[in-house]
Amino acid sequence: MFAAVGRGRAAGIVAGVIADAVFGDPRRAHPVALFGSGAAALERRSYSDSRFAGVLHTTGLLTAVAVVGVAAERAGARRGALGEGVSVAAATFIVLGGTSLCRTGEHMVGLLQAGDVAGARRLLPSLCGRDPALLEAAGLTRAALESIAENTSDAQVSPLVWAAVGGIPAALVYRAANTLDAMIGHRSPRYTRFGWGAACFDDLVNLAGARLTGVLVTLCAPVVGGSPVAVMRVWRRDARKHPSPNAGVVEACFAGALGVRLGGPTQYAHELEIRPSLGDGRAPEVDDLARAVRLSRAVQMAAVIASVSLATVSLACRNGWRVSPRW
């Protein structure tokens, strides 16, 4: 039974991507939202203003998700490649958010083009955790564009990578870790210590996905009239300036591809951050936000090809090692 695991993974990933493209995120009873509700309920019992309590909280939740993922993968494998493919498709659909990300980005473009700043402020929390109350059109545009860039990695590329190399358990644990980071992994007075473990683990599991996103943005830059050479230059020069080891990569690459300048004062509910500038160009305009959405879609499609290739190579390697060991 264990040898069969992986046979339907590539097909399941493709099916899950198609389901996400057609349906987007469910409006009700989304498993990620249910996980978030459970995590919040547990936090009311486990919270203490210490790193140790936060690590226990994070470890317990991620372990529970891993157990569920392993059980789901084994149940699928017992039904052969088709059963595993269906299970992987369901898990992939759950963990992806690229379609909803781009739909929200397009909605934001429409509101800003219509001059509906109030509507754009109401929509911004669907993209990021910044405080929209103090933002005018230019600030909303930059905030949305930076969120499109970061979440192209977080909501699409990274979960596809983990689904390809680790199957259902890895994909579900990744999404749970990303959700916990959004909930408690920020530097507010309440979560500076309690959320430390969630933030560190999220940085770790996003390292590969963010850098693959950077590579794919480089390759896809001509789709929006950008230069791969410019992307690589901005990536090398500016990514390390960002406080996040992963967001810095993808935001710098998007800035290079679009020919705009990102960064600057960034107001969250709990603090004002002065971010370094990424890129050489002008401040982004609404048309640049529309281009960012197009670039995100291109990168997402390229990530599907990359993840299916990874899943296929991973299965071939396991089969080779099992049938003809070389050591």
Side-chain angles (χ1 to χ4, degrees):
M1 182 265 288
F2 296 108
V5 172
R7 291 186 302 175
R9 186 175 297 173
I13 289 172
V14 173
V17 169
I18 293 172
D20 179 64
V22 173
F23 300 108
D25 289 340
R27 292 183 179 273
R28 296 181 180 178
H30 194 301
V32 175
L34 295 177
F35 169 80
S37 298
L42 178 62
E43 181 187 329
R44 289 193 286 271
R45 295 179 175 273
S46 65
Y47 178 81
S48 177
D49 189 17
S50 73
R51 287 185 174 183
F52 181 71
V55 168
L56 285 180
H57 175 81
T58 299
T59 302
L61 286 166
L62 296 185
T63 299
V65 170
V67 169
V68 171
V70 169
E73 187 162 80
R74 290 178 177 177
R78 281 195 289 267
R79 293 172 174 81
L82 178 60
E84 184 187 14
V86 171
S87 298
V88 171
T92 302
F93 173 65
I94 288 170
V95 301
L96 293 184
T99 296
S100 294
L101 172 69
C102 288
R103 289 175 181 173
T104 304
E106 289 172 342
H107 189 191
M108 179 67 79
V109 168
L111 291 171
L112 291 171
Q113 287 176 336
D116 186 358
V117 173
R121 285 174 178 156
R122 288 192 296 271
L123 182 62
L124 187 66
S126 299
L127 285 170
C128 62
R130 301 184 194 184
D131 184 356
L134 302 177
L135 296 178
E136 298 299 331
L140 292 164
T141 299
R142 177 172 74 85
L145 199 157
E146 289 174 353
S147 181
I148 292 292
E150 182 175 0
N151 284 295
T152 296
S153 175
D154 289 1
Q156 192 80 4
V157 180
S158 287
L160 285 173
V161 168
W162 283 110
V165 301
I168 295 172
L172 295 183
V173 168
Y174 170 78
R175 176 50 65 204
N178 195 245
T179 303
L180 281 177
D181 179 61
M183 294 176 67
I184 66 173
H186 42 80
R187 297 188 183 96
S188 67
R190 176 177 174 86
Y191 293 122
T192 298
R193 285 176 286 274
F194 186 75
W196 174 83
C200 289
F201 188 74
D202 182 71
D203 283 345
L204 179 64
V205 296
N206 274 297
L207 285 173
R211 280 140 192 86
L212 176 59
T213 303
V215 171
L216 297 178
V217 170
T218 303
L219 296 174
C220 295
V223 171
V224 291
S227 163
V229 174
V231 177
M232 293 299 297
R233 183 179 68 250
V234 176
W235 182 353
R236 281 198 312 270
R237 188 192 66 199
D238 292 346
R240 70 189 71 179
K241 300 176 184 177
H242 197 284
S244 166
N246 300 314
V249 170
V250 292
E251 289 183 22
C253 289
F254 265 71
L258 298 169
V260 299
R261 184 181 69 256
L262 301 177
T266 303
Q267 180 67 58
Y268 292 94
H270 54 279
E271 67 176 344
L272 172 67
E273 292 185 11
I274 305 300
R275 296 279 179 86
S277 293
L278 308 176
D280 301 309
R282 53 181 168 71
E285 300 173 355
V286 178
D287 287 346
D288 298 312
L289 178 57
R291 293 168 62 219
V293 174
R294 292 200 302 273
L295 179 58
S296 178
R297 289 192 187 279
V299 169
Q300 290 178 35
M301 291 305 301
V304 175
I305 297 171
S307 65
V308 169
S309 300
L310 279 172
T312 303
V313 169
S314 177
L315 176 60
C317 289
R318 287 198 303 274
N319 286 341
W321 293 336
R322 187 176 68 249
V323 175
S324 303
R326 301 299 183 185
W327 55 84

